[in-house]
Amino acid sequence: MKIQAALLHQPNTPLQIETLDLDSPGKGEVLVRIAASGVCHSDYHVMNGATKHPLPAVLGHEGAGVVEAVGTEVSQVHVGDHVVLNWAPACGHCFYCLRDKPNLCETFTEPIWAGVMLDGTPRLHLGNEPVYHYCGLATFAEYVVVPQESCVPIRRDVPLKVAALVGCAVATGVGAALYTAEVRPGESVTVIGCGGVGLNIIQAAALCGAEMIVAVDTNPAKMELARQFGATHALLSNENTLQAIRDLTGGRGTDHAFDAIGVPAVQEFGLECIRPGGTLTLVGLAPMGTATNLPGAIITRQEKVVKGSYYGTVNANRDFPKLLDLYVAGKLKLDELISQEYPLSDINVAFDAMLSGGVARGVVMF
Ligand SMILES: [Zn+2]
Ligand SMILES: [Zn+2]
């Protein structure tokens, strides 16, 4: 079938809206009509070349839609299902899946980095040229073909634009506080970076019962937004930020800090924000090849803990429906995360807005 999609031909060039050929779903694959796709920094890391990916590619990995057709040997989803797409699909039987770490599933690692399906080939084409699927999803397109394991069926009474965000920013942020760091009632938390991921860490820390939630960002517009999502204190990042956090915590630092940005200097700052015995959780994805300089002497002497959080340590099939239940119950703010909606033709405008930092989340609507 012919579809409209946003194509990246070369790093550091705008996305181009093109008509592509999309093959029918093969064995174990599913055709999904995309309803909404969020705009995320991880897509931008491919656009600016920081993440290497086979090109040309269709980006987009925070999507939700409706199953239109299924290939052979598909048992986990059905035509008509509303689904959130999962960019870290799990096979259920590899080393990590058997150890209850489906977010680290190794079966899909290689095909996803290669931009292809499990059989090693893409379903997208531009003329005779292959086009690759970012994260095995490629949601900046009217339709996608994905492995059935990438589809998480959800309740039908939630808007699909809200559901789309669960597929990246919400799972990553809420999961980091709930499942990776396991914030406990009464604890104190610093969250550095108040974009789509950081705001979700803030609201999840509040859900966990954190008593003090200190939000830090360079953008004054984020201060009020952070408070709306549950921050008890909002600090504009400057040379006094660390002292301000210590002043709030008897000179010790907070029990937890979260880096929601993915920049080595921010990660190093995060370690300074926590008290001895506290936990720093690294959530934002730093570009591959960068290195963070954390002082081993401090980590040892002060028993500080540093954790990586990949996709919020979620089990997508278990947790995506649960996150949407929390939204319906009024315990997670998801509508408020969407600051702007765009048609596919304005996708480059959406990325410009994300980079200027004024928005929580921009969503492309189909
Ligand atoms: Zn993302
Ligand atoms: Zn697996």
Side-chain angles (χ1 to χ4, degrees):
M1 66 190 290
K2 300 278 186 197
I3 63 159
Q4 294 281 304
L7 200 58
L8 179 69
H9 286 276
Q10 292 292 330
N12 298 304
T13 61
L15 299 176
Q16 304 281 344
I17 308 302
E18 312 232 22
T19 302
L20 304 181
D21 289 301
L22 179 65
D23 298 336
S24 313
K27 186 177 108 180
E29 295 168 4
V30 176
L31 174 72
V32 178
R33 178 171 53 80
I34 296 294
S37 178
V39 171
C40 177
H41 271 91
S42 300
D43 298 303
Y44 182 70
H45 286 161
V46 181
M47 292 165 66
N48 72 2
T51 300
K52 302 286 173 243
H53 193 276
L55 298 176
V58 174
L59 306 181
H61 62 281
E62 187 178 78
V66 179
V67 174
E68 293 274 315
V70 297
T72 56
E73 298 183 33
V74 169
S75 57
Q76 299 174 20
V77 288
H78 303 94
V79 172
D81 279 354
H82 289 202
V83 293
V84 172
L85 297 174
N86 167 6
W87 54 249
C91 71
H93 51 72
C94 74
F95 179 93
Y96 292 106
C97 284
L98 292 177
R99 281 157 183 78
D100 201 24
K101 298 293 283 181
N103 59 324
L104 301 181
C105 173
E106 56 192 8
T107 300
F108 287 93
T109 309
E110 210 173 301
I112 281 181
W113 279 102
V116 296
M117 297 290 111
L118 272 177
D119 71 356
T121 62
R123 298 290 165 271
L124 290 163
H125 311 275
L126 178 61
N128 293 326
E129 196 185 2
V131 172
Y132 298 96
H133 308 237
Y134 180 55
C135 290
L137 298 180
T139 60
F140 293 148
E142 295 172 302
Y143 291 84
V144 298
V145 167
V146 298
Q148 62 174 335
E149 291 86 351
S150 302
C151 295
V152 179
I154 55 163
R155 55 195 291 169
R156 296 191 187 192
D157 60 347
V158 296
L160 285 164
K161 65 181 177 186
V162 162
L165 302 189
V166 169
C168 186
V170 176
T172 300
V174 172
L178 215 55
Y179 303 124
T180 314
E182 298 184 281
V183 172
R184 296 171 60 86
E187 289 192 317
S188 55
V189 173
T190 299
V191 179
I192 309 161
C194 301
V197 170
L199 293 171
N200 278 300
I201 299 173
I202 291 169
Q203 66 171 333
L207 194 61
C208 291
E211 192 183 344
M212 179 189 293
I213 302 171
V214 184
V216 179
D217 201 284
T218 53
N219 187 337
K222 294 289 175 65
M223 301 291 104
E224 187 45 42
L225 201 54
R227 284 200 184 87
Q228 256 180 45
F229 278 80
T232 55
H233 302 74
L235 303 177
L236 206 51
S237 177
N238 59 36
E239 67 281 1
N240 302 320
T241 307
L242 182 60
Q243 192 55 49
I245 291 169
R246 289 188 173 150
D247 289 346
L248 287 168
T249 53
R252 296 183 191 92
T254 48
D255 299 310
H256 291 274
F258 293 86
D259 161 39
I261 300 177
V263 169
V266 172
Q267 298 175 336
E268 290 157 15
F269 175 72
L271 192 78
E272 296 192 272
C273 293
I274 54 171
R275 63 166 171 81
T279 302
L280 167 64
T281 302
L282 307 182
V283 186
L285 281 171
M288 292 299 273
T290 57
T292 303
N293 189 10
L294 296 177
I298 298 290
I299 292 174
T300 305
R301 285 173 179 274
Q302 301 188 355
E303 289 200 342
K304 291 189 174 182
V305 178
V306 181
K307 284 185 163 186
S309 178
Y310 189 61
Y311 218 170
T313 318
V314 292
N315 176 329
N317 292 307
R318 180 194 66 193
D319 296 326
F320 288 4
K322 191 161 76 180
L323 292 169
L324 286 167
D325 288 345
L326 287 168
Y327 160 73
V328 172
K331 297 188 177 193
L332 281 181
K333 293 182 168 61
L334 301 189
D335 296 303
E336 294 83 347
L337 286 170
I338 300 174
S339 32
Q340 189 73 49
E341 297 175 21
Y342 303 89
L344 183 63
S345 55
D346 280 349
I347 190 157
N348 291 300
V349 178
F351 275 101
D352 288 344
M354 179 191 76
L355 293 173
S356 73
V359 300
R361 211 58 161 176
V363 177
V364 175
M365 298 296 296
F366 292 88

